[in-house]
Amino acid sequence: MEEQYETYQKIEEPKKKKGFMTPLLAGIIGSVLTLSLTPYMGQVSDLMALEKKNEAPLVMEETKESSLPIQQINYPSSNLADMIESASQAIVGVVTIQERNPFYSASSQPTESGSGSGVIFKKTETDAYIVTNYHVIESAKEIEISLMDGEKTSAQVVGIDPLMDLAVLKIDASLAPATLSFGDSSVLRPGDSVVAIGNPLGMELSRTVTQGIVSATNRTIPVTTSQGQWELPVLQTDAAINPGNSGGALLNTQGELIGINSLKIMNSGVEGLGFAIPSEDVMPIVEEIIEKGKVARPYLGVQLVNLEEVPLPYRPHLPQELTQGVILVQIEKDSVAEQAGLQVEDVIVAINGTSIENTTHLRKYLYSEINMGDEVEFKVYRDGQPLQLRVIFE
């Protein structure tokens, strides 16, 4: 995920504040800003790899719809095949379209560059809303939706959340045959039966059904996003998930949507390690995207380096027993951090009494525990002395 979108503010380089650490940290900053996938039990790979990327930005639209009513599908019996037949009506193909470059191709006609899956989860009088993975539609020039009856239609991007790898699209409501209701992923236990429905390897194998169990709950997968390093909360399943399943549905036996299939481990010799974003995390995000067009998270306006990455001789007069925390290496002008009095080379070691281990931990705490408008207490070290600073996220 290499591109930044308007969903979040982009950190602009402020005027540099020179300090004795500047030469050392210059190299470290470069490594921090380079986003690379963190190993987790082998290589974690996105399911759908786009063959080509296009630099054109996605269309971001806002909607005044704030509630999230769900149209229930009533299954005629407890038979698994009946449930799958009904649920499949709400599964769509998501095809990304990009224009050919006339300088490199004899034809300038738009061409398909990749495909994935999506789920229709809400329907109003005018619009039907689809949730999919952000990486499925990343850098797309146009997006085409393939419905169960074979009809195709264009989709608009309502909003995206690169951090959680989610995107919400919308199409004309008259084209949506059904929706899937969200289930409660928090009640799942290892061993519960699940079904995955999606489009592995493209539309030729659309709405392929695989069955398995919940292998584990409350997993986190280290990933790299356009917003930095992140630990993605996931459900683990052994239901077969393949390239093209990204954005598809993971269902419980009642036909409820309890996860959005997103990742799998593809190391040689590894089988049955797939991951889905739990519905309890998906629901509030898609609701906020529909209501506001984006996901608002606390924004500090800084660039950071893990304290453990700085050699001991270059740490700014810190106690030797202090081994965890983050060092501020840049502060954006007029940012929340600058207004709170934070300075370059300050070391953040705690927020509201919770110890901060590294940059990923700091980001996760801010996004999970802090709301816009909150006033929080930062514990920092400056010139070897501890300070308490009040930070207000506006």
Side-chain angles (χ1 to χ4, degrees):
M1 304 180 186
E2 298 176 351
E3 297 186 11
Q4 292 278 4
Y5 288 87
E6 294 176 359
T7 305
Y8 299 92
Q9 294 176 312
K10 183 178 180 181
I11 296 177
E12 298 180 358
E13 184 174 354
K15 294 182 178 179
K16 297 182 179 178
K17 177 175 178 180
K18 295 183 178 180
F20 65 88
M21 295 185 64
T22 302
L24 170 70
L25 295 179
I28 300 177
I29 295 172
S31 63
V32 171
L33 297 180
T34 302
L35 305 181
S36 56
L37 186 64
T38 305
Y40 177 85
M41 300 168 59
Q43 178 186 1
V44 176
S45 173
D46 284 344
L47 297 180
M48 195 284 296
L50 300 181
E51 292 178 359
K52 296 181 180 180
K53 299 284 184 179
N54 189 289
E55 299 296 330
L58 297 174
V59 178
M60 304 287 287
E61 293 193 359
E62 293 190 5
T63 176
K64 295 183 179 179
E65 294 287 337
S66 59
S67 60
L68 195 60
I70 301 298
Q71 175 186 340
Q72 300 279 348
I73 293 178
N74 296 316
Y75 302 109
S77 73
S78 59
N79 185 279
L80 182 62
D82 290 336
M83 181 275 283
I84 292 171
E85 182 178 1
S86 296
S88 294
Q89 299 177 61
I91 309 300
V92 300
V94 180
V95 179
T96 55
I97 307 296
Q98 295 182 345
E99 293 180 350
R100 288 182 181 270
N101 188 327
F103 293 101
Y104 295 97
S105 173
S107 172
S108 61
Q109 294 297 314
T111 180
E112 178 181 328
S113 61
S115 64
S117 307
V119 182
I120 305 173
F121 67 95
K122 178 183 178 180
K123 188 175 178 181
T124 66
E125 291 184 1
T126 57
D127 300 309
Y129 293 91
I130 298 167
V131 59
T132 186
N133 284 139
Y134 166 69
H135 76 256
V136 170
I137 56 103
E138 183 182 9
S139 303
K141 178 68 175 179
E142 300 176 21
I143 300 172
E144 184 178 81
I145 300 299
S146 177
L147 301 166
M148 186 173 186
D149 61 3
E151 187 170 355
K152 296 180 179 180
T153 184
S154 61
Q156 291 179 307
V157 178
V158 179
I160 60 176
D161 184 10
L163 200 68
M164 287 294 292
D165 195 21
L166 293 171
V168 176
L169 316 175
K170 69 177 181 179
I171 60 174
D172 190 293
S174 64
L175 300 175
T179 63
L180 277 177
S181 62
F182 281 102
D184 185 359
S185 60
S186 67
V187 302
L188 293 173
R189 299 178 300 168
D192 283 342
S193 295
V194 291
V195 171
I197 307 179
N199 308 306
L201 307 182
M203 295 302 104
E204 293 80 4
L205 301 176
S206 63
R207 291 162 193 83
T208 292
V209 180
T210 57
Q211 186 177 15
I213 61 171
V214 174
S215 303
T217 60
N218 300 317
R219 295 285 201 217
T220 57
I221 296 289
V223 295
T224 296
T225 76
S226 58
Q227 303 302 313
Q229 294 295 119
W230 180 245
E231 292 184 356
L232 186 68
V234 291
L235 297 169
Q236 182 181 330
T237 179
D238 68 347
I241 297 174
N242 294 287
N245 274 113
S246 283
L250 188 68
L251 307 174
N252 60 19
T253 54
Q254 287 73 50
E256 296 172 322
L257 182 63
I258 48 90
I260 298 297
N261 297 321
S262 184
L263 303 166
K264 72 177 297 184
I265 292 178
M266 300 181 66
N267 272 15
S268 176
V270 175
E271 296 182 2
L273 292 179
F275 302 94
I277 306 169
S279 60
E280 61 184 309
D281 295 306
V282 174
M283 289 179 63
I285 291 174
V286 298
E287 183 173 7
E288 187 171 358
I289 287 176
I290 291 175
E291 180 181 354
K292 301 178 181 178
K294 61 181 181 180
V295 178
R297 292 190 174 94
Y299 179 72
L300 194 57
V302 298
Q303 290 182 359
L304 307 167
V305 169
N306 294 331
L307 179 62
E308 62 185 13
E309 297 176 14
V310 179
L312 285 172
Y314 296 95
R315 295 182 184 179
H317 312 294
L318 296 176
Q320 290 188 353
E321 64 273 14
L322 185 63
T323 59
Q324 294 184 326
V326 295
I327 300 178
L328 278 65
V329 295
Q330 284 188 343
I331 298 178
E332 186 176 350
K333 183 175 177 56
D334 298 324
S335 64
V336 167
E338 185 181 69
Q339 293 171 8
L342 287 166
Q343 298 181 10
V344 171
E345 296 180 3
D346 281 354
V347 181
I348 300 174
V349 296
I351 302 177
N352 283 347
T354 299
S355 297
I356 298 301
E357 300 173 3
N358 49 45
T359 56
T360 301
H361 188 203
L362 181 144
R363 186 177 293 110
K364 185 174 182 179
Y365 185 88
L366 289 182
Y367 294 166
S368 303
E369 305 296 333
I370 307 300
N371 298 315
M372 297 300 294
D374 285 355
E375 182 175 340
V376 300
E377 184 176 86
F378 277 53
K379 181 180 179 180
V380 305
Y381 275 85
R382 181 180 298 165
D383 296 326
Q385 300 300 315
L387 297 174
Q388 302 290 339
L389 296 176
R390 307 295 290 183
V391 179
I392 302 175
F393 289 95
E394 298 176 333

